Amino acid sequence: MSRSERLLKLLQALRRHRRPVSAQALADELAVSVRTLYRDISSLRAQGAEIVGEPGIGYVLRPGFVLPPLMFRSDEVEALMLGLKWVADRGDPALAVGAREAATRIAAVLPAALRRELETSALLVGARARSSVDVVGFELLRTAIRSGRKTRLLYRDKHDASSERVVWPFALVYFEEARVLAAWCELRGDFRNFRADRIERIELLDEFAPRSPTAMLNDWRGALQASGRTILPEPDSAPF
């Protein structure tokens, strides 16, 4: 068993135990010495795992630890990094910064050989076909979705007519040429899609939507399937 596989098995063993488990019990489960077990725990802690405990008492893994990228195969890491490059190039400013920071953190914990592969990777993100200017910040739209709050929009449709809408946002769809906010529109009493580059003003209201974003997203997908449309409609093909 390689060291990476052993560390993965140790994480899985710790996740199975909600109460402190002794080093000897963990060592027996992994078929290693207690001394090796202590070294592996130190390695996982250095990579960010919140393992609480000490020799003679036992160990427990606190919730929230994400498996480090060094456990991934090379093609999995390449897929992650390619996706992060796409977001860094095409995402709004906050997401782009997050993508670059995530890529840096992933690269920092990779083995040297994998890191060299990424540095010389032939997987690139091409130029945008066409860019659109989004008037409002995506961070505010993401906040509306995460919080489940009703949102007031000043929206200009494809015929250049402006209207004020109160909507219940539940998803953002990213296309090459546009970004689309999916929401329940109180004015229309139905699902509507709003191009972000046509939103002229956005205001988060104090009132929460009566349904959760997850429930609305599921219903929206069901409605699209029932009508024979794709799950992610083209920006200008859906009702606005």
Side-chain angles (χ1 to χ4, degrees), residues 188-224:
R188 303 302 184 195
D190 200 354
F191 294 117
R192 286 294 184 267
N193 304 316
F194 302 91
R195 283 183 60 130
D197 55 338
R198 294 177 183 158
I199 299 175
E200 299 179 331
R201 189 175 69 245
I202 180 171
E203 176 188 358
L204 296 186
L205 304 179
D206 293 332
E207 187 179 357
F208 289 91
R211 305 191 63 219
S212 72
T214 301
M216 288 188 288
L217 177 60
N218 290 335
D219 286 349
W220 178 69
R221 285 172 168 163
L224 287 171

Side-chain angles (χ1 to χ4, degrees), residues 21-36:
V21 57
S22 70
Q24 185 63 63
L26 289 169
D28 291 344
E29 184 174 342
L30 298 174
V32 297
S33 68
V34 173
R35 179 177 297 180
T36 298

Side-chain angles (χ1 to χ4, degrees), residues 78-147:
E78 278 196 325
L80 282 171
M81 298 299 281
L82 181 61
L84 289 171
K85 287 178 184 177
W86 192 96
V87 175
D89 182 69
R90 288 163 167 76
D92 60 89
L95 275 186
V97 170
R100 287 191 289 269
E101 290 179 350
T104 299
R105 293 174 67 180
I106 290 174
V109 298
L110 288 176
L114 260 182
R115 190 160 53 247
R116 283 194 296 272
E117 284 185 30
L118 284 180
E119 290 171 352
T120 58
S121 175
L123 303 182
L124 307 175
V125 174
R128 304 184 196 188
R130 180 174 65 87
S131 61
S132 59
V133 178
D134 301 314
V135 178
V136 301
F138 273 85
E139 191 169 356
L140 196 57
L141 294 177
R142 291 199 304 273
T143 298
I145 294 170
R146 284 194 301 267
S147 64

Side-chain angles (χ1 to χ4, degrees), residues 38-52:
Y38 289 152
R39 286 201 300 267
D40 288 348
I41 286 176
S42 295
S43 296
L44 289 175
R45 281 172 166 169
Q47 293 166 17
E50 290 192 55
I51 300 174
V52 182

